[in-house]
């Protein structure tokens, strides 16, 4: 769920190994489990703290390891290929169906039939990704909605009013042009809008939905995101005519995040960037995503936990997941500031809403009223790679119709192979 490029290797390795293999089931007397998830070093230290508290309460030892996103999926696939997966591992919701469809996961339904209050405590929309016709095979631990981050200092210097809930995409386009600056030699030094056009989560889904469109057909056999070209013509104009959206070389020059670098006035982003942006020297805040002709829309995605199929101690794994979703577990994770807790009472508590970073954190929760889940289906990784890679041509030409036609064709080719 962090800003990222998904690893195609994830799906490739899943296909090539026997996912029904796993740790040999023990007699149930073992009091130790391994947990693997992704995150930063600071996140990892909190997971270690959680593991210690969990052990004190249950007597179950937890070997918890946190890896950077860039290596996490290779690691989990390597462990599965060796037949030694951890009891519990983190899951990015869009990739869930690839793991479930190949029999890699342990059903949580029997546990949930007994612990009925677990589901009631969570935001319903976050549960959709992990539910199958055979029940739940995972649960969310937190979620992300996308909002518009803006640099207040840049707006002040340009004498422009801050964005608010009345803004449309046209309003954003006009403001972005005014906030784009050249130096006396004609070189651009500031851009009005710096979105990530690779990941469907950050901008494209919101655009498509707010213009009355869809992303995929209900059977996931056709890419429909370009059926309405109006929003993509707007984005193309911002890139090729207004120059208010920087090209890929410029983005790379500033580490892929021009907003953080103080070079872009606005960017669509999730709550995961709040801790990073807290170190910025400029003032910033967040507002809801702009509205389109069909209203306002944003995406919601979650990170969750799953239990490996045939692991040696699923009961202990379930106790760990339950603890992470408890008031104590969710409060400690919320204090990190990276994501919105999946548990409703903690998301609405001071531990999340009154963090050290003084922005309107409530906006990320309110966004659930108009949010739609990021697509979750078998083959998502290959599909998103194909579409995102082809879409890169949007920076090189103003022929947006051809760019989108090629991107849709490439993406549909991956769907046909599922």
């Amino acid at each position: 769920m962090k800003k990222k490029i998904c690893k195609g290797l994830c799906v490739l390795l899943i296909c090539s190994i026997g996912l029904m293999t796993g740790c040999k089931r023990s007699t149930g007397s073992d009091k130790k489990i391994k947990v693997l998830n992704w995150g930063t070093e600071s996140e990892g230290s909190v997971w270690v703290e959680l593991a210690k508290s969990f052990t004190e309460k249950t007597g179950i030892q937890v070997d918890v390891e946190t890896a950077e996103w860039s290596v996490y999926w290779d690691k989990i696939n390597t462990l599965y290929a060796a037949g030694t997966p951890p009891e519990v591992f983190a899951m990015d919701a869009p990739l869930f169906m690839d793991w479930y469809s190949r029999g890699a996961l342990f059903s949580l339904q029997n546990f949930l039939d007994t612990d009925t209050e677990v589901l009631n405590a969570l935001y319903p929309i976050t549960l959709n990704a992990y539910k199958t016709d055979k029940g739940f095979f995972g649960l969310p631990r937190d979620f992300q909605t996308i909002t518009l981050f803006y640099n207040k200092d840049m707006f002040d210097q340009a004498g422009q009013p801050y964005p608010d809930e009345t803004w449309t995409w046209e309003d954003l386009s006009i403001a972005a042009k005014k906030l784009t600056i050249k130096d006396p030699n004609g070189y651009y030094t500031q851009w009005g809008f710096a979105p990530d056009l690779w990941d469907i989560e950050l901008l494209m889904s919101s655009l498509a939905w707010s213009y009355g469109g869809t992303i995929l057909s209900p059977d996931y056999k056709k890419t429909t995101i370009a059926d309405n070209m109006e929003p993509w013509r707007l984005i193309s104009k911002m890139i090729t005519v207004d120059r208010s959206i920087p090209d890929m070389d410029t983005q790379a020059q500033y580490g892929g995040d021009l907003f953080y670098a103080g070079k872009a006035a606005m960017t669509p982003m999730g709550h995961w960037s709040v801790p990073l942006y807290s170190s910025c020297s400029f003032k910033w805040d967040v507002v809801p995503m702009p509205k389109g002709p069909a209203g306002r829309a944003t995406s919601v995605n979650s990170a969750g936990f799953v239990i490996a199929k045939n692991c040696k101690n699923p009961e202990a794994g379930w106790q760990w997941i339950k603890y992470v979703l408890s008031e104590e577990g969710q409060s400690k994770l919320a204090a990190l500031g990276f994501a919105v807790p999946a548990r409703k009472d903690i998301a609405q508590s001071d531990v999340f809403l009154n963090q050290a970073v003084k922005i309107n954190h409530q906006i990320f929760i309110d966004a659930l009223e108009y949010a739609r889940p990021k697509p979750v289906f078998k083959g998502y990784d290959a599909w998103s790679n194909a579409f995102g890679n082809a879409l890169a041509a949007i920076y090189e030409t103003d022929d947006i119709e051809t760019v989108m036609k090629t991107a849709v064709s490439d993406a549909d080719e991956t769907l046909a192979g599922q």
Side-chain angles (χ1 to χ4, degrees), residues 333-346:
L333 292 177
L336 282 168
F338 287 100
V340 187
R343 189 180 172 107
K344 292 177 285 187
D345 56 349
I346 303 304

Side-chain angles (χ1 to χ4, degrees), residues 48-249:
V48 171
E49 180 186 336
L50 276 171
K52 289 175 62 177
S53 297
F54 173 73
T55 298
E56 291 173 359
K57 292 178 180 296
T58 65
I60 301 171
Q61 298 291 323
V62 180
D63 177 9
V64 61
E65 180 179 352
T66 303
E68 291 288 341
W69 174 272
S70 59
V71 301
Y72 172 80
W73 294 104
D74 288 350
K75 188 174 185 66
I76 190 65
N77 276 292
T78 298
L79 290 171
Y80 248 110
T84 57
E87 275 76 13
V88 181
F89 60 100
M91 179 58 60
D92 190 28
L95 304 182
F96 169 80
M97 285 306 300
D98 277 305
W99 290 83
Y100 166 74
S101 65
R102 295 175 177 87
L105 308 179
F106 186 90
S107 173
L108 306 183
Q109 198 55 50
N110 286 339
F111 298 131
L112 289 167
D113 289 342
T114 301
D115 293 310
T116 56
E117 290 303 309
V118 173
L119 297 183
N120 294 335
L122 308 179
Y123 284 102
I125 195 171
T126 66
L127 295 170
N128 295 341
Y130 308 93
K131 188 175 183 179
T132 74
D133 57 358
K134 296 181 181 179
F136 285 94
F137 282 73
L139 288 176
R141 70 184 192 217
D142 55 51
F143 71 87
Q144 300 281 355
T145 48
I146 305 304
T147 65
L148 183 66
F149 287 63
Y150 67 97
N151 184 317
K152 299 175 77 172
D153 290 354
M154 286 185 179
F155 275 83
D156 290 342
Q157 291 162 9
Q160 292 296 312
Y162 298 150
D164 59 31
E165 68 278 359
T166 68
W167 264 32
T168 66
W169 287 107
E170 288 289 345
D171 293 327
L172 181 145
S173 174
I174 293 169
K177 184 176 181 179
K178 293 177 180 178
L179 288 157
T180 299
I181 298 175
K182 288 186 193 179
D183 67 14
N185 296 318
Y187 293 102
Y188 288 93
T189 59
Q190 178 179 302
W191 292 263
F193 189 46
D196 183 329
L197 291 179
W198 193 91
D199 191 339
I200 197 78
E201 179 177 358
L202 291 166
L203 176 67
M204 290 185 287
S205 57
S206 179
L207 270 173
W209 292 327
S210 64
Y211 276 78
T214 56
I215 298 174
L216 292 137
S217 60
D219 60 3
Y220 299 109
K221 292 184 178 180
K222 180 175 173 53
T223 306
T224 58
I225 196 169
D227 286 1
N228 180 355
M229 286 297 297
E230 186 178 358
W232 314 120
R233 294 189 189 103
L234 177 69
I235 294 298
S236 179
K237 176 179 178 293
M238 293 176 70
I239 294 172
T240 62
V241 179
D242 299 344
R243 303 291 181 180
S244 58
I245 295 179
D247 60 29
M248 292 184 71
D249 289 340

Side-chain angles (χ1 to χ4, degrees), residues 312-342:
K312 63 182 180 180
N313 203 337
E315 293 81 5
W318 169 244
Q319 291 301 317
W320 167 257
I321 293 176
K322 260 186 42 171
Y323 176 69
V324 170
L325 295 177
S326 70
E327 291 183 31
E328 180 178 326
Q330 289 278 283
S331 294
K332 289 184 177 181
L333 292 177
L336 282 168
F338 287 100
V340 187

Side-chain angles (χ1 to χ4, degrees), residues 345-376:
D345 56 349
I346 303 304
Q348 293 287 358
S349 71
D350 284 347
V351 71
F352 177 74
L353 295 178
N354 293 322
Q355 299 177 41
V357 182
K358 299 306 180 185
I359 60 170
N360 190 350
H361 300 278
Q362 182 70 44
I363 284 178
F364 294 89
I365 300 173
D366 292 345
L368 291 176
E369 297 176 8
Y370 50 86
R372 305 187 195 185
K374 188 176 181 180
V376 177

